[in-house]
Amino acid sequence: MKSPLKVLATATLLCLSLFAHAETQRVLMKTSMGDITIELEGDKAPQTVDNFLTYVDEGFYNGTIFHRVIDGFMIQGGGLGPDMQKKATRDPIPNEAKNGLKNVRGSISMARTGDPHSATGQFFINHKDNANLDYPSFDGWGYAVFGQVVDGMDVVDAIATTNTGPGGPFRKDAPQEMVVIEQIRLLTD
């Protein structure tokens, strides 16, 4: 039989572990058009949030741009500099789109190529509900949601409605006035 002290210690560690895992994390995204606060869903998309926060901690996003903007769809950024050149990234992460989170207005998701497991640093914020991007989507996978805008949707709206056209490698949908992600940082209490 286990001693009462060991049972108590195990129960305490379990509770602390659950509490720490359930802790809400928020980031502040400072852009040239205003601030956006995003609440991350580490309990539903742990690898995706860890990946995103690694890039945040490294300062990877600082000085990148929103390079693809489609009003009524989404705003995409986090991987290109002002010169419209891709930044070097870490290895791709597994697609966590099966996490139950939905691509609703204000949610943040990982951008990727046609390969479902190709997401690295780029992300997009949904400008409207995009159920067609939810798991299983058109390719059997969908796009992994990992957070939600909790403040600054007016900034997302302003970015989404900027004038777009050709720019860099894009024939259309590139903002004609650069929208810079000045900094993303983890908020602490």
Side-chain angles (χ1 to χ4, degrees):
M1 176 171 217
K2 291 185 179 181
S3 75
L5 186 56
K6 282 186 179 180
V7 171
L8 180 61
T10 302
T12 302
L13 286 174
L14 179 62
C15 288
L16 288 174
S17 173
L18 291 172
F19 177 75
H21 191 64
E23 179 184 327
T24 300
Q25 293 179 302
R26 290 184 176 193
V27 294
L28 176 65
M29 180 183 298
K30 298 186 82 50
T31 79
S32 56
M33 294 184 72
D35 295 349
I36 303 167
T37 303
I38 300 165
E39 188 169 287
L40 304 175
E41 296 278 357
D43 57 331
K44 301 262 180 148
Q47 292 177 77
T48 306
V49 168
D50 286 347
N51 177 69
F52 181 75
L53 288 176
T54 297
Y55 283 113
V56 168
D57 291 344
E58 293 172 346
F60 176 87
Y61 295 118
N62 302 347
T64 61
I65 60 171
F66 280 100
H67 61 272
R68 185 170 172 241
V69 170
I70 304 173
D71 186 15
F73 180 45
M74 59 89 221
I75 62 174
Q76 181 176 340
L80 278 66
D83 59 359
M84 294 294 266
Q85 297 299 309
K86 287 184 181 178
K87 292 183 71 171
T89 61
R90 299 176 157 287
D91 290 336
I93 59 171
N95 188 327
E96 291 185 303
K98 295 181 185 181
N99 61 23
L101 298 173
K102 304 297 182 190
N103 281 279
V104 296
R105 176 173 161 78
S107 61
I108 185 170
S109 300
M110 292 305 297
R112 61 176 177 81
T113 67
D115 174 357
H117 305 287
S118 61
T120 55
Q122 290 188 37
F123 56 83
F124 62 92
I125 299 173
N126 287 288
H127 189 227
K128 71 166 190 114
D129 292 353
N130 289 306
N132 60 314
L133 301 179
D134 294 340
Y135 172 80
S137 192
F138 53 88
D139 63 359
W141 280 95
Y143 290 77
V145 175
F146 64 98
Q148 181 72 36
V149 172
V150 293
D151 191 32
M153 263 320 280
D154 58 325
V155 176
V156 173
D157 291 338
I159 295 169
T161 57
T162 59
N163 290 326
T164 60
F170 305 101
R171 293 181 307 195
K172 59 181 187 170
D173 303 327
Q176 297 302 282
E177 185 176 327
M178 195 170 298
V179 182
V180 179
I181 299 169
E182 297 167 349
Q183 181 189 45
I184 303 179
R185 67 178 174 84
L186 185 63
L187 293 174
T188 56
D189 293 337

